[in-house]
Amino acid sequence: MKLRKVTAASAAVLALALSATACGGDNKDSSGSGSSGGGKIKIGIKYDQPGLGLKKPDGSFSGFDVDVATYVAKQLGYEPNQIEWVETKSADRENALARDDVKLIAATYSITDERKQKVAFAGPYLLAHQDLLVKKDSKISEATDLNGEKLCSVTGSTSAQNVKDDFAPKAQLKQQAGYSECIAGLQSGAVDAVTTDDSILAGFAAQDKYKGQFKLAGLKLSNENYGIGVKKGDTATVNKVNAALEKMVSDGSWQKAVDKNFGPAGYKNEPAPKVGVIVK
């Protein structure tokens, strides 16, 4: 009798295990760490950078990084409604990948030797440069013109200090919590110029409320090679993303995304960078 009970119990356990396995085959992959096309994929972006990664009031997302990531996800087998956008602040990007919080990060993520010690990168997919944003009628055309002028950037950024150290020692540095405050200061005349990556500046300037008011100086004070962050050691995903980026360029989708997101600011973008080639 005991033997029969044990056998019945074992059979029940086996049945439950088989049932769980069958159900598991239909489960959504919420981390995006499974095979492409299965369930959802989590992608880290910025939520507060117009033209690059912006969460709009209606809950939708827009920007060049968003368009690039959406295209890449499609090539990996994920439809737009299978993408879960995750806000990934600059200071937490490496940790987010290490913790598997996201599968990919497309968030103005410059490829550097230091970062490559912690994460893998696909790309680059955009070559940006540190630049200046000024009013449309401004006579500032070179970094040296900032001597005696008020220059704004965000707290903790090295951009403004780089200008002061290398080009305009008499520039008056103004720091704000975010670029929105700097742009508002430029509009009101509280500052004379704003500095950071040209792609970021172009995204802000392209907003409807600022269209036609500002211009990029067109300087190339640094080279910023934007890459898509991938967990360290995940070579297979890096190769797939690189192939997707190459296709995006070749079929014209890359240039369309540039024109859509940066065009209104008169952004003179560099040609699409060659995957695997870092411009120092």
Side-chain angles (χ1 to χ4, degrees):
M1 187 67 174
K2 284 185 177 180
L3 181 59
R4 288 181 182 176
K5 284 184 178 180
V6 171
T7 302
S10 299
V13 170
L14 178 60
L16 285 172
L18 291 172
S19 175
T21 301
C23 292
D26 295 329
N27 282 347
K28 299 294 186 181
D29 175 19
S30 60
S31 68
S33 58
S35 60
S36 61
K40 291 185 176 293
I41 182 170
K42 291 184 178 181
I43 303 178
I45 58 170
K46 296 290 182 66
Y47 274 21
D48 59 354
Q49 290 185 342
L52 286 154
L54 181 69
K55 183 176 183 179
K56 297 190 287 189
D58 64 1
S60 62
F61 299 88
S62 66
F64 182 69
D65 284 347
V66 173
D67 289 345
V68 169
T70 300
Y71 186 98
V72 167
K74 175 73 172 178
Q75 298 305 306
L76 297 181
Y78 297 93
E79 297 299 327
N81 63 2
Q82 291 178 286
I83 300 172
E84 182 177 340
W85 301 110
V86 179
E87 182 176 21
T88 313
K89 296 183 182 297
S90 296
D92 196 43
R93 288 178 295 203
E94 288 82 17
N95 290 333
L97 287 168
R99 294 190 304 256
D100 289 321
D101 292 345
V102 294
K103 182 73 170 178
L104 309 172
I105 291 180
T108 59
Y109 205 0
S110 296
I111 302 171
T112 67
D113 291 338
E114 181 181 2
R115 288 171 178 163
K116 284 194 290 186
Q117 301 302 311
K118 300 177 181 178
V119 303
F121 282 101
Y125 64 89
L126 184 72
L127 176 59
H129 307 283
Q130 185 183 343
D131 199 356
L132 304 176
L133 189 71
V134 296
K135 282 193 170 181
K136 201 75 170 179
D137 59 355
S138 174
K139 291 183 169 50
I140 295 173
S141 60
E142 300 291 342
T144 52
D145 295 336
L146 290 167
N147 279 307
E149 305 293 334
K150 296 181 285 292
L151 176 65
C152 189
S153 195
V154 299
T155 302
S157 169
T158 59
S159 299
Q161 191 62 50
N162 288 344
V163 171
K164 187 174 177 69
D165 290 345
D166 298 337
F167 303 100
K170 294 182 181 179
Q172 302 173 43
L173 301 188
K174 306 291 182 181
Q175 293 186 319
Q176 296 287 356
Y179 290 112
S180 295
E181 291 89 340
C182 282
I183 303 297
L186 182 62
Q187 183 184 41
S188 69
V191 299
D192 302 297
V194 181
T195 187
T196 187
D197 297 356
D198 52 7
S199 57
I200 296 174
L201 295 173
F204 276 100
Q207 289 181 286
D208 288 338
K209 59 183 176 181
Y210 296 133
K211 281 182 181 177
Q213 297 184 43
F214 308 130
K215 65 180 180 182
L216 290 162
L219 308 182
K220 298 180 179 179
L221 305 179
S222 71
N223 294 323
E224 306 296 337
N225 299 269
Y226 289 176
I228 293 182
V230 179
K231 188 173 184 178
K232 185 75 172 175
D234 190 354
T235 305
T237 297
V238 169
N239 292 338
K240 290 177 183 177
V241 173
N242 278 336
L245 292 173
E246 290 174 339
K247 183 176 180 181
M248 187 177 187
V249 172
S250 65
D251 69 13
S253 298
W254 183 89
Q255 189 60 53
K256 288 180 181 177
V258 168
D259 294 341
K260 181 182 80 171
N261 292 291
F262 304 129
Y267 178 57
K268 295 179 175 61
N269 65 283
E270 295 278 5
K274 184 175 176 58
V275 166
V277 176
I278 306 301
V279 179
K280 298 293 187 180

